[in-house]
Amino acid sequence: MSLKQNKSEPIKTPEEPPQNAENAAENAEENGEEKKKEQEELPPFEVVEGSRIPASSFMFQFKNVEYSSGRNKTLLCYTVERGEGQIFRGYLEDEHVSAHAEDAFFTNVLPQYVSSNPVAVTCYVSSSPCINCAACIARCLRRYKTLKLQLVVARLFQWEESEIRGALRGITSAGCKLRMMKTADYLHVWQQFVEPDIILDDEGIAEQPSEQGAFIPWEDLDENAKYYEERLAEIIR
């Protein structure tokens, strides 16, 4: 699943006779206005729900390393529990080309689940939010008084920058419970949101795995989680 920027393809039209400079300028202006209007009407991203994360993507993007070189996506897994006893799950993914996963979830996905009854939301995210996404989360918490939010993150994004640190304090003061992922959280996400990678046989035909493989923690998972816990405690104390 991914958030993809919508693109409109040019429409081919039959060739027209040559125009004079004045008419050409008028047509160009009209076409420009039409294209601008069309772009404004198109949504900035597409949200697709229902699929699980490929195991290899989860293991790479959610790895709680200190330096996240090459990890240029944000993956967000969410669980929404409504007062009526209903539970909804899904995940979003972005490539940092349009909307971020957090912005998409809190702006477009969550509002459809909010009601006058209590709503408990837990988001497992591959990294903590940027400044803009943190502001979006804080606005959402102020707007929806029945919302209880827990944000569980694998890594801290640019945590040494003062603006980021202030943004994280902002969402916690707005009511968000923010903490780092531990081994138990990785096991939970693996069971609820991850699917085995597709394996091809010698003839290029996909083999259907009989069961999902077990989650195997990397060697320094607990050590890295403790490191990030200490950094987060310093930020939000």
Side-chain angles (χ1 to χ4, degrees):
M1 175 189 293
S2 61
L3 304 181
K4 298 182 180 178
Q5 189 175 16
N6 288 330
K7 298 180 180 179
S8 57
E9 298 181 356
I11 301 174
K12 295 182 179 180
T13 56
E15 294 184 0
E16 297 180 356
Q19 300 173 326
N20 58 41
E22 183 178 353
N23 290 338
E26 291 178 356
N27 290 337
E29 184 178 353
E30 291 177 358
N31 291 337
E33 291 179 355
E34 289 178 358
K35 289 181 180 180
K36 181 179 180 181
K37 182 178 180 181
E38 181 183 2
Q39 291 173 356
E40 290 175 349
E41 291 175 350
L42 286 173
F45 50 79
E46 179 184 2
V47 177
V48 182
E49 301 178 66
S51 300
R52 288 175 171 248
I53 306 170
S56 57
S57 181
F58 169 80
M59 294 295 288
F60 180 73
Q61 298 293 346
F62 272 87
K63 194 169 186 179
N64 60 352
V65 291
E66 182 177 0
Y67 300 102
S68 55
S69 177
R71 292 171 172 83
N72 57 352
K73 294 183 179 182
T74 298
L75 270 62
L76 183 152
C77 305
Y78 65 86
T79 299
V80 178
E81 299 183 46
R82 299 180 63 172
E84 300 86 350
Q86 297 174 306
I87 298 178
F88 306 89
R89 292 186 178 90
Y91 97 93
L92 307 179
E93 173 184 324
D94 72 52
E95 305 224 4
H96 293 277
V97 294
S98 55
H100 290 184
E102 302 97 322
D103 187 9
F105 174 73
F106 287 96
T107 302
N108 288 62
V109 178
L110 180 60
Q112 64 183 306
Y113 298 118
V114 176
S115 66
S116 58
N117 294 322
V119 179
V121 177
T122 301
C123 294
Y124 299 90
V125 195
S126 56
S127 65
S128 58
C130 66
I131 297 172
N132 292 335
C133 288
C136 177
I137 293 171
R139 287 195 302 270
C140 193
L141 285 165
R142 289 193 294 267
R143 179 179 181 183
Y144 302 117
K145 302 303 182 182
T146 60
L147 173 62
K148 293 184 178 181
L149 174 64
Q150 179 175 215
L151 200 64
V152 190
V153 300
R155 302 185 304 275
L156 291 178
F157 171 71
Q158 297 182 354
W159 63 270
E160 294 177 325
E161 296 188 7
S162 59
E163 291 183 342
I164 292 290
R165 296 164 74 93
L168 296 180
R169 287 192 291 269
I171 62 175
T172 56
S173 63
C176 174
K177 182 179 180 181
L178 177 64
R179 65 178 181 85
M180 305 306 303
M181 288 183 69
K182 300 180 179 180
T183 299
D185 298 306
Y186 280 96
L187 288 170
H188 173 75
V189 175
W190 183 271
Q191 295 169 355
Q192 298 294 330
F193 298 97
V194 177
E195 66 180 357
D197 292 329
I198 297 176
I199 301 175
L200 302 179
D201 60 19
D202 295 337
E203 298 180 355
I205 300 175
E207 297 178 346
Q208 186 70 27
S210 57
E211 60 181 0
Q212 185 166 320
F215 171 69
I216 302 177
W218 43 93
E219 183 178 355
D220 52 356
L221 188 157
D222 292 330
E223 180 181 348
N224 293 346
K226 183 178 180 181
Y227 169 83
Y228 275 125
E229 280 183 338
E230 293 173 351
R231 303 291 80 75
L232 180 60
E234 294 171 358
I235 294 171
I236 63 177
R237 65 183 175 187

